[in-house]
Amino acid sequence: MKTLDLLQLRRSSKKFGTKAPNQEQLDTIFKAALRVPDHGHLKPYQFFVIEQAQLATFEQHLNSAVIEFNLGEDGVKKAKKISSQAPMIIAVVAKITKDLPKVPAWEQMLTAGCATYAIQLAANSLGFETCWITNKWVNGSALRQALNCQEFDKIVALLMIGSPEEENEITLASQAEDISGFVHYLK
């Protein structure tokens, strides 16, 4: 697929097959993520790969968030679904350095977000479906501890990744978005 086609037609999907990226594919994906815009060359992010064998432990961390945030029985069901939906999850943690006059915290967060999107695009280009989720899960104490989060760090994404469920092609939008109303020119 051509790069511009992917950029204009990509979309998230929660319909995953059983295959996850192998080590060579993961290396390619992470190399793409390391090339995002990064003022100060801080690389203010870390990536945590949660493979099939660790998904039960990941579910336990989500269930801890269910209790911590009083998410009830619906939260338990959602934790089960999230932890079993895709064969791999990549957590992206923004490693924020406070009090840098030239690179404020918000800019570091944007860089971590860009890295997450680069992971999605690279995975899509390799034929994998992706879906970026957050919600209260990313603030759970157990998950933050498991991902070595410090006080100012923020889990910016739980990125589900896997092969397409039924077809050999990833899910794409049928057409590019209409840009009307979004693009303006300074006068």
Side-chain angles (χ1 to χ4, degrees), residues 82-99:
I82 290 170
S83 62
S84 62
Q85 202 162 2
M88 178 178 283
I89 295 174
I90 297 175
V92 180
V93 177
K95 303 298 282 182
I96 305 300
T97 303
K98 287 286 194 179
D99 303 321

Side-chain angles (χ1 to χ4, degrees), residues 145-161:
Q145 183 177 0
L147 300 180
N148 300 319
C149 290
Q150 303 302 310
E151 179 182 1
F152 298 115
D153 296 347
K154 180 76 175 160
I155 302 169
V156 297
L158 300 173
L159 193 58
M160 295 189 274
I161 298 179

Side-chain angles (χ1 to χ4, degrees), residues 13 17 19 22 42 49 101 131 135 140 151 157 169 183:
S13 175
K19 293 183 183 176
N22 62 33
L42 299 175
V49 178
C131 186
N135 209 329
E151 179 182 1
E169 300 283 325
V183 180

Side-chain angles (χ1 to χ4, degrees), residues 105-178:
W106 65 265
E107 197 172 333
Q108 295 173 57
M109 290 284 285
L110 288 175
T111 297
C114 287
T116 302
Y117 189 52
I119 290 170
Q120 279 194 290
L121 291 173
N124 290 154
S125 73
L126 292 172
F128 293 97
E129 298 280 20
T130 63
C131 186
W132 180 344
I133 63 170
T134 54
N135 209 329
K136 290 189 177 185
W137 315 109
V138 299
N139 296 319
S141 299
L143 184 59
R144 286 181 53 79
Q145 183 177 0
L147 300 180
N148 300 319
C149 290
Q150 303 302 310
E151 179 182 1
F152 298 115
D153 296 347
K154 180 76 175 160
I155 302 169
V156 297
L158 300 173
L159 193 58
M160 295 189 274
I161 298 179
S163 58
E165 183 179 47
E166 296 176 13
E167 302 176 20
N168 291 332
E169 300 283 325
I170 63 169
T171 305
L172 295 172
S174 59
Q175 62 187 30
E177 293 284 336
D178 180 2

